[in-house]
Amino acid sequence: MSTAILGEDGLARCPWGLSAPDYIAYHDDEWGRPVRDDQGLYERLCLEAFQSGLSWLTILRKREGFRAAFAGFDPEKVAAFGPGDVERLMGDAAIVRNRAKIEAAVANARAALDLPGGLAATAWRYADPGRPAPEALEDVPAFTPGSKALAKELKKNGFRFVGPTTAYALMQACGLVDDHLAGCHRRGAYA
């Protein structure tokens, strides 16, 4: 079983959080930290959608390129993108060049602006901060009833590339659930 592992610094982490220096920083400083603003959630939603089928490490290493390409993930600016912007982004090697995902990021910006109450308020309705600590990676689900419901609500409101697994990854990344393993030094750190 893949339980929390001691790093060279003496801190126990989720095993994936020790596999590369980029992962250590992401695990310790960001993953699971509550994100409560619309722009922050929109950024994470876009990145999770771009990650689909790829390594998260690829996305982390291209993150600054994504931020530059998508106007800092400002939903108002991205919502104004048109076909010319999509073509520009298709030629941008600093990001993942997938037309469907780029078009989804633009559509999701528009949907986020139209979402009653906003993206953050909508997502946080599905938070499950009291979920028991998983003992091992094998105990972490790919999706939950909450992520299914969140994905369904987002799709109903015009979002794309937001299935239950992507919605759950968003929930994990943004602190709506705490899936740091039992024994991990970040478990419960943001409660």
Side-chain angles (χ1 to χ4, degrees):
M1 292 194 13
S2 304
T3 59
I5 299 172
L6 280 180
E8 291 180 10
D9 58 4
L11 296 174
R13 289 182 179 84
C14 302
W16 66 265
L18 286 167
S19 61
D22 294 338
Y23 275 153
I24 292 171
Y26 179 67
H27 174 273
D28 287 3
D29 301 330
E30 186 172 355
W31 192 72
R33 183 180 299 257
V35 176
R36 297 189 180 272
D37 65 291
D38 286 349
Q39 187 167 334
L41 276 155
Y42 170 69
E43 175 180 355
R44 291 349 178 272
L45 181 64
C46 288
L47 294 176
E48 294 295 347
F50 273 100
Q51 184 274 329
S52 181
L54 301 171
S55 160
W56 182 246
L57 194 55
T58 299
I59 302 304
L60 280 179
R61 291 180 175 163
K62 289 183 173 276
R63 192 172 192 181
E64 291 309 314
F66 276 110
R67 285 179 172 157
F70 286 95
F73 290 103
D74 180 330
E76 288 188 20
K77 291 178 181 175
V78 178
F81 283 12
D85 295 295
V86 171
E87 292 309 315
R88 172 182 56 82
L89 294 170
M90 284 297 296
D92 189 342
I95 67 167
V96 173
R97 293 173 287 181
N98 177 300
R99 184 175 301 277
K101 292 177 181 182
I102 291 168
E103 290 174 347
V106 175
N108 290 350
R110 294 174 184 150
L113 294 176
D114 292 338
L115 192 62
L119 181 57
T122 299
W124 277 92
R125 284 201 308 270
Y126 297 95
D128 188 6
R131 223 172 79 67
E135 294 292 326
L137 289 178
E138 295 81 7
D139 299 331
V140 178
F143 57 86
T144 63
S147 75
K148 285 182 180 180
L150 174 57
K152 183 177 180 179
E153 182 169 352
L154 292 175
K155 285 181 182 180
K156 180 183 79 173
N157 283 284
F159 285 80
R160 301 193 314 209
F161 265 92
V162 288
T165 301
T166 298
Y168 194 65
L170 175 72
M171 293 171 76
Q172 292 172 306
C174 295
L176 283 78
V177 296
D178 183 354
D179 272 347
H180 285 285
L181 300 181
C184 174
H185 83 281
R186 299 313 293 169
R187 176 75 196 175
Y190 307 121

